[in-house]
Amino acid sequence: MAGKTKKIELPKSVLEMKFMKKTRERIEKELQNTQDHGRLYSDIITNEMRSASGNFISESSFIFCETMLDGRLSFKGMNPEIERLMEMEKAEAEKPSGEMVKDVSDDILAKKMAKLNKMKRPSASPVVSELSKIKRKK
Amino acid sequence: MNVSVGDVVLPGDSCQEIATIGEKSKVILGPGLRKEVNGIFITKAGTLRKRAPNTFWVDNYQKRYIPSRGENVIGIVTQKAGDIFRVDVGGSCSASLSYLSFEGATKKNRPKVVIGDVVYAKMLVASKDMEPEIVCVDSHGKKGRLGVLEDGFVFKCSLNLIRKILNPECPLLNSLKNEWPFELAAGMNGRIWIKANTMRETIALGNAILASEYHSNDEIKSMCSNIASILAGHIS
């Protein structure tokens, strides 16, 4: 709701009119409030960054240090909902990341391209030589 | 005393190794390490560990839970105060859980949570000076694996054990998962919730988890096969 009211902004000239005094004050107050909120949340976000200095990042939890499974597990159909989530996570982990699946390997492609280039160049150069011959004849 | 990775360390020890790495590249200091003006100091008694590239932490025995952001915990709802629930997570003070932080919850459509319920939740805010706040939804508003845990059995253990059984290299869950149907939720606050079809299976699972704390990987494997054969023998 706050977002909606923010979007509709009255022009400055209208706000400066005498009868708009109350609205003007309200808008100023709202603006101040939102700025205060921003400061409040930025405090929380940068808490960890503040405690760190230079190259050192402090982390108070083991979950960022050790590799660990998710703590909620189900086996042999005890909770199908959880098992579905586990399977999805497993499939995602096994999926090859980054690399595309290739039909033609890089080596073969490089060889083919080299051949193609060789074939192109000899055909291109005769045309040039022929053109020069024609020019000479003229 | 100057220590290096793999050593048994005590509070007050300093680590020159980490400080020199930190001069060149980024270093993550996990629990038990502290940056001071004149070096890196140990604040917990345990083993200094490292994970590539540059993450260091102290692996220590601990039963007291200190809330920290992003961890999944198991809590017990102790009080309903207006629009928040007070949840006991085992920390120095109880955590707050808003009734709006459940999947599909609105002001009109309140979630069905009563005092005494066990919830699996994520730490959203955990600071030194304020009470922690937990949520039962992810950033997309989906519940995922979080939410109220129905039925089952909750028991406490050390924080190490949680990390041990959730380690992908630990054979405990791998050897038990094909034996009988069960469900498990492990909170980083040293609480485990388990659920199986019968009481025998639940007790067997709970005992297997608690017994694995001081066992090696081979011992855990043989213990699990033992338990499975005993259970199967009695049922058939």
Side-chain angles (χ1 to χ4, degrees), chain B residues 193-204:
Chain B
W193 170 90
I194 50 173
K195 185 182 167 185
N197 283 330
T198 64
M199 197 174 69
R200 291 187 68 86
E201 287 169 356
T202 312
I203 293 169

Side-chain angles (χ1 to χ4, degrees), chain A residues 1 3 19 22 27 34 36 42 50 58-59 61-62 69 77 83 92 100 114 120 129 137-138:
Chain A
M1 286 226 299
F19 64 92
K22 270 196 174 169
I27 287 171
T34 51
D36 283 352
S42 74
R50 278 185 189 190
S58 287
E59 199 52 77
S61 172
F62 286 104
L69 302 169
E83 283 187 23
E92 221 160 77
M100 262 196 301
K120 266 185 191 169
S129 57
K137 275 175 189 174
K138 276 180 184 176

Side-chain angles (χ1 to χ4, degrees), chain B residues 3-39:
Chain B
V3 292
S4 53
V5 173
D7 285 356
V8 172
V9 295
L10 289 171
D13 287 345
S14 69
C15 188
Q16 192 58 45
E17 196 182 328
I18 302 172
T20 43
I21 294 169
E23 282 166 16
K24 289 171 202 148
S25 51
K26 285 246 186 279
V27 172
I28 297 172
L29 298 176
L33 289 169
R34 197 183 159 97
K35 162 104 175 69
E36 291 290 334
V37 184
N38 52 347

Side-chain angles (χ1 to χ4, degrees), chain A residues 72-84, chain B residues 182-183 193 195:
Chain A
R72 184 85 191 271
L73 303 157
S74 165
F75 300 107
K76 290 195 102 183
M78 194 67 195
N79 190 339
E81 205 179 336
I82 300 293
E83 283 187 23
R84 209 179 55 239
Chain B
F182 68 88
E183 207 185 335
W193 170 90
K195 185 182 167 185

Side-chain angles (χ1 to χ4, degrees), chain B residues 11-213:
Chain B
D13 287 345
S14 69
C15 188
Q16 192 58 45
E17 196 182 328
I18 302 172
T20 43
I21 294 169
E23 282 166 16
K24 289 171 202 148
S25 51
K26 285 246 186 279
V27 172
I28 297 172
L29 298 176
L33 289 169
R34 197 183 159 97
K35 162 104 175 69
E36 291 290 334
V37 184
N38 52 347
I40 307 295
F41 287 94
I42 311 287
T43 57
K44 280 177 178 177
T47 323
L48 185 62
R49 296 208 188 276
K50 180 190 178 178
R51 193 178 77 169
N54 286 324
T55 306
F56 296 89
W57 74 95
V58 178
D59 191 10
N60 67 323
Y61 181 80
Q62 190 172 334
K63 285 171 107 173
R64 161 76 61 206
Y65 177 62
I66 296 152
S68 66
R69 194 166 188 271
E71 290 182 341
N72 288 347
V73 294
I74 289 174
I76 297 156
V77 179
T78 53
Q79 197 185 353
K80 233 177 186 175
D83 49 3
I84 59 161
F85 301 109
R86 297 236 163 272
V87 182
D88 168 43
V89 291
S92 57
C93 64
S94 60
S96 63
L97 170 66
S98 167
Y99 74 94
L100 289 171
S101 55
F102 285 88
E103 188 181 68
T106 55
K107 282 202 168 183
K108 288 227 174 113
N109 180 22
R110 290 194 170 223
K112 281 180 199 116
V113 180
V114 291
I115 291 167
D117 270 359
V118 177
V119 289
Y120 190 57
K122 197 177 255 318
M123 275 286 163
L124 182 70
V125 179
S127 73
K128 277 178 197 162
D129 316 305
M130 272 168 25
E131 68 168 14
E133 188 185 341
I134 53 177
V135 288
C136 284
V137 284
D138 61 9
S139 49
H140 304 289
K142 292 271 185 297
K143 68 174 181 228
R145 301 170 182 210
L146 308 171
V148 178
L149 301 172
E150 271 143 21
D151 306 330
F153 174 66
V154 180
F155 59 93
K156 287 181 188 173
C157 63
S158 71
L159 305 187
N160 300 59
L161 184 58
I162 303 283
R163 299 207 306 271
K164 184 173 180 177
I165 62 166
L166 290 183
N167 195 314
E169 257 121 68
C170 178
L172 178 76
L173 292 173
N174 276 330
S175 22
L176 288 178
K177 71 180 179 189
N178 294 322
E179 301 297 344
W180 67 86
F182 68 88
E183 207 185 335
L184 172 141
M188 289 305 292
N189 57 343
R191 283 184 187 155
I192 300 180
W193 170 90
I194 50 173
K195 185 182 167 185
N197 283 330
T198 64
M199 197 174 69
R200 291 187 68 86
E201 287 169 356
T202 312
I203 293 169
L205 179 62
N207 284 344
I209 291 169
L210 284 176
S212 64
E213 181 158 17

